Amino acid sequence: DAKTTQPTSMDCAEGRAANLPCNHSTISGNEYVYWYRQIHSQGPQYIIHGLKNNETNEMASLIITEDRKSSTLILPHATLRDTAVYYCIVRAMFSGNTPLVFGKGTRLSVIA
Amino acid sequence: DVKVTQSSRYLVKRTGEKVFLECVQDMDHENMFWYRQDPGLGLRLIYFSYDVKMKEKGDIPEGYSVSREKKERFSLILESASTNQTSMYLCASSPPQGTIPYEQYFGPGTRLTVT
């Protein structure tokens, strides 16, 4: 699976959009981009995934560049409960039963 | 809703004790995983299992063993607990390969302290 690079930490004002970038310049055609987050003292939680089109669900939006070498997770109106570590993970469509590999992620702090 | 439960949220054990961490999932998932998480080191995979009685070593299996006698249950065993095994332990399960999206569902974690 391709390697990802994320900023170590970011701050965001409550009520504003939080834009979390991820670089995955070596991504291949059959690899999806997944985002998970981990709120303090809980297990990671799936947020969203995408292949090449932009995606939106009730939690967030995922914007993938046309060349697929980077993506941005957008939390449109961040709240204090969105303070968490956000992980960007690239995984091939058929990776067998192998587990997700979590990097260090981005620690997002939402500030009142 | 998928539910992954872990037997304890907090556990304190003495050095040399045998420790069992239990994990149960209720979604009939084939795959189950054990991770540990330490500050600055992120999530590290200890063992995983893709079927009953099957197991695969992860990145840091030393000092641990696992047992999967039933599909819904995956146990992590510390044969002789040591202080460097003080950590947060997270269990997860996932549906079979090829499922999109590939979601791993995590339990709430067990914070183990070995004194």
Side-chain angles (χ1 to χ4, degrees), chain A residues 32 34 36 38 41-44 46 49 87 91 93-94 96-100 102-104, chain B residues 9 31 33 35 37 40-41 43 45 48 50 90 97-98 100-104 106-108:
Chain A
Y32 283 81
Y34 285 83
Y36 278 68
Q38 185 175 20
S41 294
Q42 297 181 22
Y46 164 84
H49 76 286
Y87 299 97
R91 180 181 171 87
M93 191 179 299
F94 294 104
N97 294 309
T98 55
L100 293 171
F102 290 83
K104 299 288 177 66
Chain B
R9 281 290 267 150
N31 306 316
F33 313 88
Y35 294 84
Q37 187 168 33
L41 296 177
L43 278 150
L45 182 69
F48 67 100
Y50 53 87
L90 287 156
Q97 61 170 311
I100 302 294
Y102 181 78
E103 286 192 55
Q104 281 187 210
F106 283 81

Side-chain angles (χ1 to χ4, degrees), chain B residues 5-40:
Chain B
T5 56
Q6 295 183 227
S7 49
S8 306
R9 281 290 267 150
Y10 300 93
L11 207 53
V12 179
K13 295 290 182 181
R14 293 188 182 275
T15 302
E17 276 193 84
K18 190 169 186 175
V19 181
F20 292 86
L21 301 183
E22 305 286 341
C23 176
V24 177
Q25 51 94 3
D26 67 359
M27 278 301 288
D28 203 35
H29 283 167
E30 277 77 5
N31 306 316
M32 296 189 75
F33 313 88
W34 275 106
Y35 294 84
R36 67 176 279 179
Q37 187 168 33
D38 302 286

Side-chain angles (χ1 to χ4, degrees), chain A residues 2 4 18 23 30 32 35-36 38 74 82-83 95 97 106 108-109 111:
Chain A
T4 62
N23 182 286
N30 71 343
Y32 283 81
W35 284 83
Y36 278 68
Q38 185 175 20
I74 301 172
D82 292 321
T83 292
S95 290
N97 294 309
T106 296
L108 174 69
S109 298
I111 302 162

Side-chain angles (χ1 to χ4, degrees), chain B residues 78-108:
Chain B
L78 288 65
E79 295 290 341
S80 178
S82 64
T83 54
N84 64 12
Q85 292 178 310
T86 291
S87 187
M88 169 69 90
Y89 289 87
L90 287 156
C91 175
S93 72
S94 75
Q97 61 170 311
T99 304
I100 302 294
Y102 181 78
E103 286 192 55
Q104 281 187 210
Y105 297 86
F106 283 81

Side-chain angles (χ1 to χ4, degrees), chain B residues 40-63:
Chain B
L41 296 177
L43 278 150
R44 293 182 292 167
L45 182 69
I46 305 172
Y47 267 98
F48 67 100
S49 168
Y50 53 87
D51 202 351
V52 175
K53 296 192 187 295
M54 305 301 288
K55 61 185 179 185
E56 294 281 345
K57 291 180 180 179
D59 301 317
I60 50 162
E62 297 78 21

Side-chain angles (χ1 to χ4, degrees), chain A residues 34-87:
Chain A
Y34 285 83
W35 284 83
Y36 278 68
R37 77 176 182 184
Q38 185 175 20
I39 294 170
H40 183 62
S41 294
Q42 297 181 22
Q45 173 194 24
Y46 164 84
I47 302 172
I48 198 167
H49 76 286
L51 186 61
K52 51 186 175 181
N53 298 323
N54 297 339
E55 302 288 344
T56 295
N57 63 21
E58 64 279 3
M59 291 181 70
S61 295
L62 174 60
I63 308 298
I64 302 174
T65 57
E66 197 168 335
D67 63 7
R68 302 185 69 238
K69 293 187 177 188
S70 66
S71 60
T72 301
L73 179 75
I74 301 172
L75 308 178
H77 305 287
T79 70
L80 298 178
R81 285 175 295 182
D82 292 321
T83 292
V85 178
Y86 288 78
Y87 299 97

